[in-house]
Protein backbone atom coordinates (compact mmCIF):
# COMPACT_ATOMS: atom_id res chain seq x y z
CA UNK A 1 0.00 0.00 0.00
CA UNK A 2 1.34 3.43 -0.85
CA UNK A 3 0.69 6.67 0.94
CA UNK A 4 -0.26 9.83 -0.92
CA UNK A 5 2.55 12.31 -1.40
CA UNK A 6 0.24 15.28 -0.93
CA UNK A 7 -2.72 15.71 1.36
CA UNK A 8 -5.96 17.00 -0.05
CA UNK A 9 -7.42 19.70 2.14
CA UNK A 10 -11.01 20.82 1.68
CA UNK A 11 -11.40 24.17 -0.02
CA UNK A 12 -14.29 26.57 0.22
CA UNK A 13 -14.63 26.38 4.01
CA UNK A 14 -15.91 29.82 5.10
CA UNK A 15 -13.59 32.02 7.15
CA UNK A 16 -15.81 31.96 10.25
CA UNK A 17 -16.00 28.18 10.17
CA UNK A 18 -12.21 27.93 9.85
CA UNK A 19 -11.78 30.24 12.85
CA UNK A 20 -14.19 28.13 14.91
CA UNK A 21 -12.23 25.03 13.90
CA UNK A 22 -9.02 26.69 15.09
CA UNK A 23 -10.69 27.37 18.45
CA UNK A 24 -11.48 23.67 19.00
CA UNK A 25 -8.21 22.36 17.53
CA UNK A 26 -6.12 22.74 20.69
CA UNK A 27 -8.74 21.17 22.99
CA UNK A 28 -9.15 18.32 20.47
CA UNK A 29 -5.41 17.63 20.38
CA UNK A 30 -5.25 17.81 24.19
CA UNK A 31 -8.18 15.37 24.47
CA UNK A 32 -6.47 12.99 22.06
CA UNK A 33 -3.61 12.59 24.55
CA UNK A 34 -5.92 11.34 27.32
CA UNK A 35 -6.82 7.71 28.07
CA UNK A 36 -10.02 6.47 26.37
CA UNK A 37 -12.09 6.43 29.59
CA UNK A 38 -11.28 10.11 30.22
CA UNK A 39 -12.10 11.04 26.63
CA UNK A 40 -15.44 9.29 26.92
CA UNK A 41 -16.23 10.95 30.25
CA UNK A 42 -15.46 14.43 28.91
CA UNK A 43 -17.44 13.84 25.71
CA UNK A 44 -20.38 12.58 27.79
CA UNK A 45 -20.44 15.99 29.47
CA UNK A 46 -19.93 17.92 26.22
CA UNK A 47 -22.85 16.26 24.43
CA UNK A 48 -25.46 17.23 27.05
CA UNK A 49 -28.25 19.37 25.70
CA UNK A 50 -27.23 19.01 22.06
CA UNK A 51 -29.52 17.85 19.30
CA UNK A 52 -28.30 15.08 16.94
CA UNK A 53 -26.10 16.39 14.13
CA UNK A 54 -27.20 15.93 10.56
CA UNK A 55 -24.86 14.36 8.03
CA UNK A 56 -24.31 17.79 6.45
CA UNK A 57 -23.42 19.41 9.78
CA UNK A 58 -21.00 16.61 10.63
CA UNK A 59 -19.35 16.73 7.19
CA UNK A 60 -18.97 20.52 7.41
CA UNK A 61 -17.29 20.16 10.80
CA UNK A 62 -14.98 17.40 9.56
CA UNK A 63 -14.07 19.45 6.48
CA UNK A 64 -13.31 22.50 8.62
CA UNK A 65 -10.96 20.50 10.85
CA UNK A 66 -9.10 19.15 7.82
CA UNK A 67 -8.92 22.63 6.29
CA UNK A 68 -7.18 24.17 9.31
CA UNK A 69 -4.86 21.33 10.34
CA UNK A 70 -2.49 19.20 8.32
CA UNK A 71 -2.37 16.81 11.25
CA UNK A 72 -6.14 16.36 11.14
CA UNK A 73 -6.10 15.98 7.36
CA UNK A 74 -3.38 13.34 7.52
CA UNK A 75 -3.83 9.58 7.67
CA UNK A 76 -2.82 9.41 11.36
CA UNK A 77 -4.94 12.37 12.44
CA UNK A 78 -8.18 10.49 12.93
CA UNK A 79 -8.41 10.97 16.70
CA UNK A 80 -7.90 14.76 16.85
CA UNK A 81 -9.95 15.14 13.63
CA UNK A 82 -12.93 13.23 15.03
CA UNK A 83 -12.72 14.94 18.43
CA UNK A 84 -12.42 18.37 16.81
CA UNK A 85 -15.33 17.71 14.48
CA UNK A 86 -17.51 16.59 17.41
CA UNK A 87 -16.56 19.69 19.43
CA UNK A 88 -17.15 21.94 16.43
CA UNK A 89 -20.61 20.47 15.96
CA UNK A 90 -21.23 21.07 19.66
CA UNK A 91 -20.38 24.76 19.24
CA UNK A 92 -23.29 24.86 16.80
CA UNK A 93 -25.64 23.09 19.22
CA UNK A 94 -25.52 19.62 17.68
CA UNK A 95 -23.65 16.41 18.40
CA UNK A 96 -22.62 13.60 16.03
CA UNK A 97 -21.92 10.11 17.27
CA UNK A 98 -18.20 10.02 18.10
CA UNK A 99 -16.73 6.56 17.61
CA UNK A 100 -13.49 4.72 18.01
CA UNK A 101 -12.90 1.14 16.97
CA UNK A 102 -10.98 -1.21 14.75
CA UNK A 103 -10.99 -2.41 11.18
CA UNK A 104 -12.89 -5.65 10.61
CA UNK A 105 -10.41 -6.98 8.04
CA UNK A 106 -6.69 -7.59 8.64
CA UNK A 107 -4.38 -5.96 9.40
CA UNK A 108 -5.58 -4.69 12.77
CA UNK A 109 -5.86 -0.90 12.74
CA UNK A 110 -7.45 1.41 15.26
CA UNK A 111 -9.50 4.34 14.00
CA UNK A 112 -11.70 7.18 15.28
CA UNK A 113 -14.51 8.78 13.32
CA UNK A 114 -17.84 10.55 13.61
CA UNK A 115 -21.22 9.30 12.46
CA UNK A 116 -24.46 11.02 11.60
CA UNK A 117 -27.74 9.37 10.73
CA UNK A 118 -26.12 6.02 11.63
CA UNK A 119 -23.37 6.25 8.98
CA UNK A 120 -19.68 7.21 9.09
CA UNK A 121 -19.13 10.73 7.80
CA UNK A 122 -16.87 11.07 4.75
CA UNK A 123 -14.62 8.11 5.60
CA UNK A 124 -14.53 6.68 2.07
CA UNK A 125 -15.14 3.11 3.26
CA UNK A 126 -18.27 0.92 3.53
CA UNK A 127 -20.44 1.45 6.61
CA UNK A 128 -19.40 -1.89 8.13
CA UNK A 129 -15.64 -1.43 7.58
CA UNK A 130 -15.02 -0.59 11.24
CA UNK A 131 -16.32 -2.14 14.45
CA UNK A 132 -17.13 0.28 17.23
CA UNK A 133 -15.43 -0.16 20.58
CA UNK A 134 -16.51 3.17 22.09
CA UNK A 135 -19.35 5.40 20.93
CA UNK A 136 -20.63 8.65 22.39
CA UNK A 137 -23.99 9.28 20.74
CA UNK A 138 -26.31 12.25 21.16
CA UNK A 139 -28.42 11.99 24.29
CA UNK A 140 -32.00 11.00 23.64
CA UNK A 141 -34.51 13.54 24.80
CA UNK A 142 -37.47 12.51 26.90
CA UNK A 143 -40.79 12.45 25.08
CA UNK A 144 -42.98 15.51 25.54
CA UNK A 145 -46.09 14.99 27.61
Amino acid sequence: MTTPSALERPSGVPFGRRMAARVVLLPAVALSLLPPRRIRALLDVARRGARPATAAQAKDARDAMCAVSLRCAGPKGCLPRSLGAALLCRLGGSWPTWCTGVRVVPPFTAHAWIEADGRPVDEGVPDDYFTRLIAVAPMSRPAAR
Side-chain angles (χ1 to χ4, degrees):
M1 186 161 114
T2 62
T3 56
S5 60
L7 298 175
E8 290 186 34
R9 294 172 78 181
S11 59
V13 177
F15 177 77
R17 191 67 165 165
R18 287 194 320 268
M19 290 301 105
R22 287 185 196 279
V23 167
V24 301
L25 182 59
L26 185 59
V29 171
L31 273 174
S32 72
L33 301 173
L34 297 176
R37 64 183 163 79
R38 291 255 193 228
I39 294 172
R40 182 182 186 133
L42 290 169
L43 294 182
D44 277 340
V45 172
R47 72 181 176 160
R48 292 182 185 161
R51 66 186 179 284
T54 65
Q57 290 170 325
K59 182 180 179 341
D60 287 348
R62 186 183 188 284
D63 286 350
M65 294 308 299
C66 291
V68 300
S69 169
L70 282 174
R71 180 177 184 177
C72 288
K76 295 187 180 191
C78 64
L79 187 53
R81 175 178 59 238
S82 64
L83 290 166
L87 294 174
L88 191 54
C89 281
R90 185 61 187 102
L91 281 180
S94 64
W95 187 260
T97 300
W98 177 82
C99 306
T100 186
V102 295
R103 236 175 15 182
V104 296
V105 295
F108 170 84
T109 304
H111 189 56
W113 66 97
I114 58 171
E115 292 182 358
D117 301 327
R119 304 186 69 194
V121 175
D122 211 25
E123 288 297 321
V125 295
D127 292 352
D128 60 351
Y129 192 73
F130 297 106
T131 296
R132 290 182 186 179
L133 297 177
I134 301 172
V136 181
M139 295 180 81
S140 59
R141 297 183 183 229
R145 293 178 189 222

